[in-house]
Amino acid sequence: MANPAIVTVDDDPAVSRAVARDVRRRYGQEYRVVRASSGAEALEALREIKLRGEQVAVLLADYRMPQMNGIQFLEAAMDLFPLAKRVLLTAYADTDAAIDAINLVDVDHYMLKPWHPPEEKLYPVLDALLDAWLSTPAAPEGEVRVVGHRWSAESFAIRDFLARNMVPYRWYLAEDPEGARLLTAAAAGESDVPLVITPEGKSLVRPSEAELAVHVGLSTTPAADFYDLAVVGAGPSGLGAAVYGASEGLRTVLVERSATGGQAGQSSRIENYLGFPDGVSGAQLTERARRQAQKFGVEMLAARDVTGLELRGSARVLTCSGGTEIAAHTVILATGVSYRLLDVPGVADLTGRGVFYGSAATEAPACAGDDVYIVGGANSAGQAAVYFSRYAHRVHLVVRGPSLEASMSHYLIEQLRSIPNVQVHPCTEVIAGHGGEHLERLTLRHNQTGEAREVDASWLFVFIGAQPLTGWLDGVVERDTQGFLVTGPDLVLAGRRPSGWRLDRDPYHLETSIAGVFAAGDVRANSVKRVASAVGEGAMAVTLVHRYLEAQ
């Protein structure tokens, strides 16, 4: 097979030659450099590469090109080679415009022209991107194929699980000719959907997440009998804890019930995270953290729902769904929170069929030309509104309060104001959902005037409140009235330590009512609900793990 390609696109012949020359000088032995003078020419080259079954590692595109600018090209190229790393070349004068455009597309890096000397400004960037591309699991021979119905909650759950775990797949409607052919070939009928066909040709009828994970190459079974540290939950705090734990020599296992990234992993754009001035998508941040964890040897288990925690001597033992047990010296609970259900008539029956919790990025292209309703007034809802505005005819942000200022970051409010097809509805609530096969209408009510009205709506995305995923710890670890885990000084009331506490010291700052069991991130009572603080708490928890282990 031919070497993977590095594709460069620039309409200026001199710049195009210079880019190709510098790239070929450093990477020509291992990569094939393909040069194009326009976005259309580059897309045609990509289609030919795709037809030959070859790979593309990096795309470098100039921002300012006629007919199709660099952002538009990179967005179109994603459909052909979604795993290729994307670099935008921009002149200093275009920096602000480029950054604004980057917020609309997941670009891995933007680079100012000129980049001389390349040894300092070009090669380090490409080295890092190529390393990241090489460490990304390649799509297996063939591909995962999913057959289902458009408005099926089960079909959506399968697609969402695959997308959030970065497993490439192709989606077929059961009623379309190709979908019907796949069903016939698998000796299945429309009642057997969702049907998943693995790259090896195995047919899975309505598979569970655990079953699906095994067949698409995700690890679900612990490889060791005992660990120094077990982390439950792979959101920002869990990933942070796993990276710091493993990098400091602890045998670390990370257990996740669904997909890495948690709620943050579904964010279309996080713009106030330190070190990313042009913003970073939740998927990008999650993927980088996942690679970092793997680099340090973290064992990552997917589709494992932890259902119990108990003490057995010096061991803390986690019980997973299916009966699997994971024993460790210490545990960090980083299970995060889930969005509260919208408890109004008609909505529950339409979940996954027009009503979704979180951003559900897999559904965005299907929203093209439609009106989208988003419920919530915090950053996650605002980020979703920005993202869906790229696809929808109009995005309606339904906010219970009188304004966004009390709950949303200033930068995001300003960004929403600049997007013409985003409309904010303050003092408004959804009080009912209506539909048969899928969501068709919503009833909205103004909570000050009491006026109610019905609107046509096929898409509703809900971002309201947060509830901790700690029911499985009831009676085991001390929780507050809302279910958040109580830690550190909050456990020592009037000088009295938690019931059952056997040590002579008070609990450490992030330690729960069980010694050696810590909590980090959103699941912890009184935590700051931000990605940066969650990552910081994960790292801090590892420091306290070391302190605990040294005292044993």
Side-chain angles (χ1 to χ4, degrees):
M1 181 176 288
N3 289 342
I6 297 176
V7 178
T8 72
V9 194
D10 199 304
D11 66 311
D12 185 321
V15 175
S16 179
R17 285 193 298 270
V19 175
R21 179 199 64 221
D22 288 343
V23 172
R24 191 175 289 112
R25 181 190 305 162
R26 174 76 167 237
Y27 307 102
Q29 294 294 320
E30 299 175 343
Y31 296 89
R32 185 164 58 94
V33 179
V34 177
R35 183 160 65 97
S37 60
S38 70
E41 181 183 331
L43 286 176
E44 185 59 34
L46 291 179
R47 293 187 187 101
E48 291 181 8
I49 293 172
K50 185 82 170 180
L51 286 173
R52 291 196 297 265
E54 298 169 4
Q55 295 178 303
V56 174
V58 176
L59 301 161
L60 297 98
D62 181 50
Y63 171 62
R64 184 178 290 189
M65 294 189 295
Q67 284 81 52
M68 179 185 294
N69 66 31
I71 289 291
Q72 293 167 331
F73 162 71
L74 292 174
E75 188 171 16
M78 287 173 64
D79 293 334
L80 294 169
F81 292 96
L83 299 181
K85 299 303 177 183
R86 297 174 291 278
V87 180
L88 188 71
L89 303 176
T90 177
Y92 182 80
D94 295 329
T95 302
D96 290 342
I99 290 175
D100 288 341
I102 286 169
N103 288 330
L104 302 177
V105 179
D106 282 340
V107 172
D108 295 285
H109 197 88
Y110 78 92
M111 185 181 303
L112 292 176
K113 299 186 295 185
W115 54 85
H116 297 294
E119 290 76 13
E120 295 180 11
K121 297 184 179 179
L122 176 65
Y123 297 152
V125 172
L126 291 183
D127 285 347
L129 292 176
L130 289 169
D131 285 346
W133 180 78
L134 288 169
S135 66
T136 301
E141 292 300 320
E143 60 186 349
V144 175
R145 289 168 289 177
V146 182
V147 184
H149 294 304
R150 177 69 197 87
W151 297 109
S152 162
E154 287 182 300
S155 297
F156 164 73
I158 293 290
R159 293 161 53 216
D160 191 56
F161 177 81
L162 292 172
R164 294 186 61 197
N165 281 287
M166 303 195 72
V167 177
Y169 71 92
R170 191 174 293 274
W171 163 243
Y172 299 91
L173 292 173
E175 53 269 28
D176 287 348
E178 182 60 18
R181 186 191 70 78
L182 291 171
L183 287 174
T184 301
E190 287 200 21
S191 61
D192 296 319
V193 298
L195 172 73
V196 177
I197 304 170
T198 70
E200 297 76 24
K202 183 176 179 60
S203 298
L204 307 175
V205 175
R206 294 193 296 273
S208 66
E209 287 188 352
E211 182 184 6
L212 185 59
V214 170
H215 283 90
V216 298
L218 300 176
S219 179
T220 62
T221 305
D225 295 327
F226 201 88
Y227 299 86
D228 295 316
L229 171 63
V231 182
V232 185
S237 55
L239 285 166
V243 166
Y244 279 94
S247 68
E248 294 173 8
L250 298 177
R251 292 169 298 171
T252 303
V253 61
L254 177 63
V255 189
E256 169 55 43
R257 67 197 295 263
S258 182
T260 53
Q263 286 188 8
Q266 300 182 67
S267 175
S268 58
R269 180 65 53 176
I270 303 168
E271 296 192 56
N272 58 353
Y273 189 67
L274 186 66
F276 292 88
D278 52 348
V280 61
S281 74
Q284 282 182 315
L285 191 63
T286 296
E287 173 59 13
R288 294 178 186 187
R290 185 192 62 79
R291 292 201 314 265
Q292 202 170 11
Q294 290 180 325
K295 167 187 172 182
F296 289 118
V298 175
E299 184 180 336
M300 306 180 72
L301 305 182
R304 277 297 182 191
D305 196 7
V306 179
T307 58
L309 168 66
E310 62 178 296
L311 277 64
R312 295 181 191 169
S314 62
R316 278 80 183 117
V317 181
L318 298 168
T319 303
C320 300
S321 53
T324 302
E325 291 188 341
I326 300 172
H329 285 301
T330 58
V331 170
I332 295 177
L333 301 171
T335 51
V337 294
S338 64
Y339 292 113
R340 296 188 185 279
L341 299 181
L342 183 60
D343 188 15
V344 299
V347 166
D349 293 338
L350 296 169
T351 300
R353 298 189 290 123
V355 177
F356 305 93
Y357 290 86
S359 62
T362 52
E363 298 301 296
C367 298
D370 294 342
D371 279 19
V372 167
Y373 285 79
I374 296 174
V375 179
N379 280 10
S380 53
Q383 290 160 353
V386 172
Y387 178 68
F388 280 101
S389 69
R390 296 165 48 195
Y391 300 91
H393 170 258
R394 183 169 295 278
V395 175
H396 301 269
L397 192 55
V398 180
V399 183
R400 183 173 55 182
S403 70
L404 296 172
E405 275 72 11
S407 55
M408 189 177 293
S409 296
H410 176 73
Y411 82 88
L412 198 49
I413 295 174
E414 292 300 311
Q415 192 172 353
L416 289 172
R417 286 173 177 164
S418 69
I419 302 175
N421 65 330
V422 173
Q423 183 176 353
V424 179
H425 301 270
C427 302
T428 303
E429 300 176 61
V430 174
I431 61 171
H434 314 275
E437 182 185 9
H438 61 88
L439 177 68
E440 298 172 2
R441 299 181 311 284
L442 293 171
T443 302
L444 307 180
R445 181 179 63 196
H446 194 283
N447 57 29
Q448 291 186 349
T449 66
E451 179 184 356
R453 59 190 175 96
E454 273 197 11
V455 295
D456 292 333
S458 298
W459 307 96
L460 175 67
F461 298 88
V462 181
F463 300 82
I464 54 171
Q467 54 189 5
L469 304 173
T470 60
W472 60 282
L473 292 167
D474 187 31
V476 179
V477 177
E478 188 165 327
R479 305 183 299 161
D480 67 11
T481 55
Q482 294 179 301
F484 292 93
L485 302 181
V486 182
T487 59
D490 292 338
L491 288 167
V492 183
L493 302 176
R496 298 177 59 185
R497 292 170 180 157
S499 174
W501 187 264
R502 298 183 179 89
L503 302 182
D504 292 333
R505 61 169 177 81
D506 288 345
Y508 295 137
H509 184 67
L510 300 180
E511 199 166 20
T512 69
S513 57
I514 297 179
V517 177
F518 301 83
D522 291 358
V523 74
R524 193 178 66 83
N526 301 317
S527 65
V528 178
K529 306 299 188 284
R530 287 289 186 268
V531 174
S533 61
V535 173
E537 285 196 5
M540 181 179 174
V542 171
T543 299
L544 299 175
V545 162
H546 281 293
R547 189 181 300 177
Y548 170 83
L549 292 173
E550 289 166 359
Q552 298 307 299

